[in-house]
Amino acid sequence: MSVWESIIGQKPVCDMLSAIATGDSSKLAQSWLICGPPGSGRSNLARAFAAALESPDHGLDAEPTRVTRQVLAGTHPDVSILATDKVTIGIDEVRELITVSEQMPSTAPWRIIIIEDVDRMLERTTNVLLKEIEEPAEHCIWLLCAPSAQDVLPTIRSRTRIVNLAVPQPDAVAQWLERSNGIEASVAEQAARLAEGHIGIAKLYATDERVRSERDELVAGVLNLQRASDAVLLADRLNADAKSQAEHDVERVATREQADFRRINGLGESDRIPPKLRGAYNAIAKKDEIKRKATRRSRDVLDRALNSIASVYRDVAVLQNNAEESVGIINREHRAAIAELAAGMSRQGAVARLDHVAVARKRLNGNGNPLLVFEALFCALL
């Protein structure tokens, strides 16, 4: 299948970029800003566009070319991808990319640089990037990704061509889960609905029953908040679950990377690591690195929890405005409790609680103590 068929719910954008890649070079800008909400597939779209620009078949053939496979796997020598698991993108990483961007492509028509989370740059780092975006090297294309254009500096926005992605519809996400991951239809439907258009989270819900169960428990806990003690206990449980899930995910990835390292270097599971490779092997699961990645991962888990909490009051507002038939509710499994909450709460109260969630997200993004952030949030939701 073509590279565009793996992009969910973005057909107008895919058609436009495909036309540009296949010959409408007059519309080919050298600096792009691909914007879309988390999970909309902006980084996947950037890779697909890069593959279409670099591959002889423009990514359209049913059988992917070697170039297409390399670009999508992140191994093509002329396509550099900066994806970080840190809170911010470092200035040294950007300077290194700028050095690479000045080099002529080795095998493909373009030197392409993809930065997946340009919104994670501090202002001084963005300023380093600015001149290169304004006057890119003749054979270089920059593909920057961010949740929205407002998340990057105006100087960057004004020097890029902006592409806005839509939130994928649950039906499209569910069909993708069934087709590409072999998920049962009922589970795919539930996962897509609970993920609210976030493709990565939909796949997580569909393939990890534990994560789905923890979300269900969180929603039930929010609906049953009665006293300050309930808020404190729920915040403690949520943070413990987030830490446990993050550590499990990071250790699982480290174990897989160590296994890949052994395979690439021709070593069996029980073979001793040669001294000259030992440093690189041990660095994969270095304690400080694991801890740093787990901290970042736990923040992602907590941010997902904020979306789940917000979905409760979104559903309350939907019922209060008699809009269930037109837009549906997310947490169908808890409809009775949500209907009871909607009946006892004013419309202004539902909106105020959504504002409380937004404040909690701002505090969390500002490096606030997660336990205190959620204790304050749950007390405000009482």
Side-chain angles (χ1 to χ4, degrees), residues 55-133:
S55 181
D57 72 337
H58 302 294
L60 297 177
D61 285 357
E63 183 65 29
T65 65
R66 182 175 61 86
V67 171
T68 294
R69 291 196 300 271
Q70 286 180 322
V71 172
L72 297 182
T75 59
H76 194 282
D78 294 324
V79 180
S80 301
I81 302 172
L82 177 56
T84 184
D85 54 13
K86 300 177 184 177
V87 176
T88 59
I89 293 175
I91 194 168
D92 290 338
E93 294 174 291
V94 174
R95 283 175 175 157
E96 184 177 341
L97 282 180
I98 291 173
T99 300
V100 172
S101 74
E102 298 291 342
Q103 301 170 5
M104 290 290 292
S106 56
T107 62
W110 299 97
R111 171 76 62 180
I112 298 179
I113 311 290
I114 299 173
I115 302 181
E116 291 193 354
D117 296 289
V118 72
D119 54 301
R120 291 190 188 180
M121 287 186 187
L122 298 177
E123 185 172 351
R124 68 190 187 99
T125 306
T126 305
N127 288 334
V128 171
L129 177 66
L130 178 60
K131 179 172 174 52
E132 205 63 32
I133 294 298

Side-chain angles (χ1 to χ4, degrees), residues 9 29 176 234 295 309 359 371:
W176 173 75
L234 183 59
T295 299
I309 296 165
V359 169
L371 183 59

